């Protein structure tokens, strides 16, 4: 449960870091205590670099990182209390499952002397025991359902099992923050979805504030209490997941979210909203945009509906009905993608639509068929890209 | 010199082959390394006779050259063994000398390779993890003993011990030149480059991610080294020790230059071979050669076996 208090649990304040050609630019991010925050961004956007800063493996040029009231900007990684599950999981191959999980719990009692002793004499079979430690390990193993694996070597575990062991190991020393780096990239497509919920349920049960890094939209949408989008070294949007997906802040974000049907035009306010002139067609939108402003509009593939002939058109569709032909159909296992070409359009196709596969049969759709489509008006996304030029 | 925080871009992605799931420290020869002609044969069959002939000619060439080389070594060993058995009836080798040389070689090679490992572990780890200006220079300098003629190294040591610094060092260590200590030092200088290089490869094959992760769990860098890096590198460490030890056993050039060739004093096995040949004592030379061959083969087989085992 995200508990919002006035002081954020984690706050990253105007972080700057230059690394060769790459730069983190003025990155700020906050997480409330217990929040499950998804950090999303394309490859090369700086996700790993930012994570390196949080872990303490990279030192930012300027900026501050405050975790649980401690300024950890210059703290060594071993004293930050940040748990980490890397993309590869990096389970120690020389230790069994239980010793892997125990690894972080042993750090607390350790001194240099015990290190040397442990290394030279007690290397095999030595366990730091103690009621507290044992209890913590058992508790995590039962929470994650990996009790039966405790004595196994890590070599022969499945992807999902590895992930759970890595998670247990990161959570064992009760970190103030948990960092998950693409935790599902090493897991088979089919199993992923069921593991999403397992992962989030476990983390939520422990109550650790979490930053989950991914470039997978579905993962971000399903898991994120809050989502930030990092692009080109900058946090371009941060907010509730519905805000990000409904109202991407720029067309770059929309493109990253794989939205299509992005057009550019000029605005003309009318009584019920704005009429956007997009060259070969016009679009009614609800947002009020000043006259003459340059506007970019985006209609998500799933927000474009095929209109059934003979039945009444819903009000939110009625003002923007386009007629044309189906240029191409791409039936996929669970959905169908359609390229639609407006009558008289010079382009190969104008709109891309995506709908459930049964629509194909219900409307008897085939390539070349003449149909009408309309965008769901409240969902049309607009960005005014320049100030109005009128006087 | 800067710490690992300023390392290149690979803090997360690692530069090594050792990802979880891969075998640690293993440079295991894949099945592709075997001679495979089936697919090639199939293709050639479809291309008709011309393709077949050219393929066969090339295969014959490869197999022929390899066979000749192997045969050469077999004949070499065979003639040595034959000579050894026929001579040992006529002329007995000086067993006390053989035992002395064997013992001296075992002791000095073990000492020098342990010393070399002790020095190489930190140096190789630093070279594999830190990026600092002049790193390439250091790297090249440490590779020098691998390429440089050992006699030149020995001569350099001899010259060094004639300088005031060398005399000062001899003051601390006791006499080195023409002494058994000189053997250890000569062997150490010759093999240390090899051990640094072998260990560097081993450490580079361990993904930095493991170390980052261990640190995030609260372990200091020193503890991470002892608890993660060394255990994960253990196979490479043992293999490196064996190879370095084998090399130290056979060291001749630097040893004879620095420690001389005094019978029953600085007479390691290679020196003994030299001395035996000088005095035309072929049967002793043969015994020494056989010992060296056995030791070398033993080392190589152990390293092979180690590579295949899950230590």
């Amino acid at each position: 449960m995200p508990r919002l208090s006035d002081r954020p649990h984690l706050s990253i304040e105007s972080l700057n870091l230059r690394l060769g050609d790459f730069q983190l630019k003025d990155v700020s991010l906050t997480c409330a205590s217990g929040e499950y925050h998804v950090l999303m961004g394309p490859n090369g956007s700086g996700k790993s670099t930012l994570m390196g800063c949080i872990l303490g493996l990279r030192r930012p040029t300027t900026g501050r990182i405050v975790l649980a009231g401690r300024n950890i900007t210059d703290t060594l990684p071993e004293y930050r209390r940040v748990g980490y599950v890397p993309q590869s999981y990096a389970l120690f191959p020389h230790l069994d499952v239980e010793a892997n999980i125990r690894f972080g719990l042993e750090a607390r009692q350790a001194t240099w002397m015990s290190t040397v002793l442990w290394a030279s004499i007690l290397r095999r079979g030595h366990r730091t025991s103690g009621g507290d430690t044992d209890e913590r390990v058992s508790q995590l193993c039962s929470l994650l359902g990996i009790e039966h694996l405790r004595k196994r070597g890590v070599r022969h575990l499945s992807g999902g099992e590895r992930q759970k062991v890595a998670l247990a190991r990161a959570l064992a020393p009760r970190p103030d923050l948990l960092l998950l780096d693409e935790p599902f990239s090493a897991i088979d497509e089919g199993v992923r979805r069921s593991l999403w919920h397992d992962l989030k349920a476990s983390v939520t049960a422990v109550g650790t504030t979490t930053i989950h890094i991914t470039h997978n939209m579905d993962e971000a949408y399903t898991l994120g209490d809050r989502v930030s989008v990092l692009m080109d070294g900058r946090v371009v949007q941060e907010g509730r997941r519905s805000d990000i997906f409904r109202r991407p802040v720029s067309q770059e974000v929309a493109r990253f979210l794989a939205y299509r049907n992005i057009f550019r035009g000029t605005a003309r306010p009318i009584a019920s909203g704005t009429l956007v002139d997009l060259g070969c067609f016009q679009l009614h939108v609800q947002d009020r945009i000043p006259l003459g402003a340059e506007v970019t509009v985006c209609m998500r593939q799933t927000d474009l509906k095929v209109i059934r002939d003979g039945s009444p058109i819903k009000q939110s569709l009625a003002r923007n009905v386009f007629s044309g032909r189906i240029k191409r159909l791409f039936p996929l296992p669970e959905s169908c993608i359609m390229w639609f070409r407006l009558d008289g359009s010079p382009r190969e196709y104008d709109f891309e639509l995506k709908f459930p596969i049964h629509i194909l049969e219900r409307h008897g759709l085939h390539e070349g068929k003449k149909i009408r489509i309309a965008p769901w008006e409240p969902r049309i996304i607009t960005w005014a890209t320049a100030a109005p030029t009128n006087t | 010199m800067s710490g690992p925080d300023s390392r290149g871009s690979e803090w997360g992605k690692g530069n090594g082959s050792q990802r979880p799931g891969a075998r640690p420290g293993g440079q295991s020869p894949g099945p592709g390394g075997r001679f495979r002609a089936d697919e090639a044969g199939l293709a050639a069959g479809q291309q008709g006779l011309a393709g077949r002939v050219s393929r066969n000619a090339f295969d014959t060439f490869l197999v022929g050259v390899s066979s000749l080389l192997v045969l050469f070594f077999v004949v070499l060993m065979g003639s040595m063994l034959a000579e050894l058995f026929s001579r040992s009836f006529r002329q007995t080798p000086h067993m006390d000398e053989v035992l002395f040389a064997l013992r001296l070689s075992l002791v000095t090679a073990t000492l020098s390779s342990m010393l070399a490992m002790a020095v190489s572990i930190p140096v190789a780890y630093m070279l594999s993890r830190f990026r600092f200006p002049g790193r390439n220079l250091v790297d090249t300098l440490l590779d020098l003993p691998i390429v440089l003629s050992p006699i030149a190294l020995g001569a350099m040591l001899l010259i060094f011990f004639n300088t005031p610094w060398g005399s000062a060092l001899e003051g601390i260590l006791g006499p080195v030149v023409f002494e058994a200590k000189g053997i250890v030092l000569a062997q150490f200088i010759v093999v240390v480059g090899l051990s640094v290089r072998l260990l560097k490869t081993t450490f580079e094959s361990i993904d930095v991610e493991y170390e980052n992760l261990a640190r995030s769990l609260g372990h200091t860098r020193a503890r991470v080294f002892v608890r993660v890096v060394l255990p994960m590198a253990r196979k490479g460490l043992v293999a490196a020790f064996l190879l370095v030890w084998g090399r130290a056993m056979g060291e001749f050039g630097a040893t004879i230059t620095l420690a001389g060739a005094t019978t029953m004093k600085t007479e390691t096995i290679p020196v003994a071979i030299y001395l035996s040949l000088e005095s035309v004592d072929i049967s002793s030379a043969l015994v020494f050669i056989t010992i060296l061959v056995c030791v070398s083969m033993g080392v190589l087989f152990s390293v092979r076996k180690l590579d295949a085992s899950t230590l």
Side-chain angles (χ1 to χ4, degrees), chain A residues 340-384:
Chain A
F340 174 88
R341 186 157 122 186
L342 283 170
D343 285 334
S345 164
R347 280 185 287 196
E348 196 197 354
Y349 68 96
D350 298 279
F351 296 112
E352 184 178 306
L353 287 72
K354 190 178 181 186
F355 43 79
I357 202 97
H358 66 87
I359 298 284
L360 210 58
E361 284 156 33
R362 191 199 287 170
H363 294 265
L365 301 178
H366 57 81
E367 285 178 10
K369 184 176 180 183
K370 205 169 158 42
I371 55 161
R372 290 182 301 159
I373 62 165
W376 192 256
E377 202 177 312
R379 292 284 180 83
I380 296 174
I381 304 158
T382 60
W383 305 283

Side-chain angles (χ1 to χ4, degrees), chain A residues 29-46:
Chain A
L29 202 75
T30 56
C31 285
S33 181
E35 175 177 309
Y36 195 101
H37 193 112
V38 173
L39 180 67
M40 201 168 44
N43 290 328
S45 58

